[in-house]
């Protein structure tokens, strides 16, 4: 199994185990994992820090809510996928390393579970605005997932 596929399955199993429903309460997930979340002003998206057993996620608060939720989900994913060490997800200019892509995939599945998306895609007729409001994610996160699943969509402002 590819690492990307594995990352998606880890997210799906976590949602199933804890019976979590869309829209996903990302702070509840942090709580379930004993991870503290702090909002601060800094350059970058976020980070997860370890101090012994203590876990702390710092996210950049100067972002719209969808982006904020995704960034928290991304940092939680580093923990779920057992990525250790100080991993900061700003890599200006570089292509994202595989562990970052895996964290993105896991985060995306946490917030936009594939099966729920397939159902809602049908119900909302591929309308990105309705879908992103339903999942409470950014337009970018919504479109990325639609592209991965090869689902047609419309009504988008994101370029
Ligand atoms: Zn990262």
């Amino acid at each position: 199994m590819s690492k990307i596929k594995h990352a998606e399955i880890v997210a799906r199993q976590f949602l199933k185990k804890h019976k979590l429903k869309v829209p996903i309460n990302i702070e509840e997930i942090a709580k379930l994992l004993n991870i503290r979340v702090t909002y601060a002003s800094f350059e970058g998206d976020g980070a997860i820090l370890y101090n012994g057993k203590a876990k702390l996620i710092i996210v950049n608060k100067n972002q719209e809510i969808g982006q904020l939720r995704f960034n928290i989900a991304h940092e939680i994913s580093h923990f779920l996928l057992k990525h250790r060490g100080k991993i900061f997800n700003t890599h200006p200019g570089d292509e994202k390393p595989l562990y970052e892509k895996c964290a993105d995939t896991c985060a995306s599945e946490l917030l936009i579970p594939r099966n729920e998306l397939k159902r809602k895609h049908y119900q909302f007729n591929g309308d990105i605005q309705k879908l992103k409001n339903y999942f409470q994610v950014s337009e970018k996160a919504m479109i990325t997932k639609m592209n991965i699943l090869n689902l047609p969509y419309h009504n988008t402002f994101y370029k």
Side-chain angles (χ1 to χ4, degrees):
M1 191 196 306
S2 78
K3 289 199 168 177
I4 295 280
K5 192 73 203 161
H6 172 256
E8 189 180 314
I9 288 169
V10 166
R12 203 172 306 148
Q13 286 175 340
F14 184 86
L15 295 179
K16 196 174 171 193
K17 181 179 169 192
H18 296 282
K19 298 186 171 66
L20 299 171
K21 296 271 176 273
V22 173
I24 298 300
N25 181 339
I26 201 65
E27 294 213 349
E28 185 190 345
I29 293 183
K31 223 175 247 170
L32 283 166
L33 296 167
N34 280 315
I35 302 174
R36 205 156 68 82
V37 179
T38 291
Y39 300 83
S41 240
F42 61 95
E43 285 201 22
D45 294 331
I48 182 162
L49 305 170
Y50 300 94
N51 185 358
K53 286 200 165 176
K55 304 171 284 280
L56 172 69
I57 286 174
I58 308 172
V59 278
N60 188 343
K61 67 178 180 186
N62 305 316
Q63 292 171 319
E64 57 117 350
I65 182 71
Q67 188 64 42
L68 206 64
R69 280 163 50 73
F70 190 88
N71 289 339
I72 296 170
H74 175 101
E75 299 307 328
I76 285 173
S77 297
H78 279 309
F79 176 72
L80 285 177
L81 298 172
K82 301 183 165 60
H83 301 158
R84 284 294 186 276
K86 279 186 192 171
I87 301 168
F88 293 89
N89 75 21
T90 45
H91 309 277
D94 297 357
E95 216 221 313
K96 276 190 180 180
L98 183 58
Y99 61 82
E100 289 298 337
K101 288 181 187 165
C102 287
D104 279 345
T105 300
C106 183
S108 173
E109 188 65 16
L110 283 176
L111 294 172
I112 315 169
R114 179 186 286 253
N115 287 340
E116 183 75 354
L117 174 55
K118 283 184 178 164
R119 272 192 294 274
K120 290 296 158 180
H121 173 262
Y122 182 74
Q123 185 186 328
F124 294 145
N125 216 350
D127 186 315
I128 284 288
Q129 302 308 312
K130 288 181 182 168
L131 285 164
K132 80 167 210 185
N133 289 340
Y134 177 75
F135 289 99
Q136 293 182 19
V137 295
S138 70
E139 196 158 332
K140 182 184 174 198
M142 202 64 243
I143 289 173
T144 302
K145 189 78 168 200
M146 300 294 273
N147 287 335
I148 288 168
L149 299 189
N150 259 320
L151 295 168
Y153 57 84
H154 67 97
N155 195 15
T156 167
F157 304 106
Y158 178 75
K159 293 279 176 277

